[in-house]
Amino acid sequence: MRAISVASLFLTVAFAAAAYAASDYKVVDRIKVGDGGFDYAVFDSAKGRVLIARTNFTMSIDAKTAR
């Protein structure tokens, strides 16, 4: 039982360290979108667009021009 607790502690520390190491993300720009909420946003690096899922449609915004 003690071995399982030690292994669990080790895995928790390992995952926390990995999450901390991967936290070098930063905000480089902001794009203002219309009123209302959205469910999900993702960046399409192949086309340079931000895709935003709205209630009944999907918005596509060019990341360079913000349009």
Side-chain angles (χ1 to χ4, degrees), residues 5-55:
S5 297
V6 171
S8 297
L9 177 62
F10 176 75
L11 287 174
T12 302
V13 170
F15 285 128
Y20 180 75
S23 66
D24 57 349
Y25 294 105
K26 62 182 178 179
V27 176
V28 294
D29 201 0
R30 296 178 188 267
I31 298 174
K32 186 169 180 143
V33 296
D35 291 338
F38 61 90
D39 294 325
Y40 188 70
V42 66
F43 181 67
D44 179 7
S45 60
K47 297 195 179 199
R49 296 191 173 275
V50 179
L51 302 171
I52 302 172
R54 303 299 289 254
T55 303

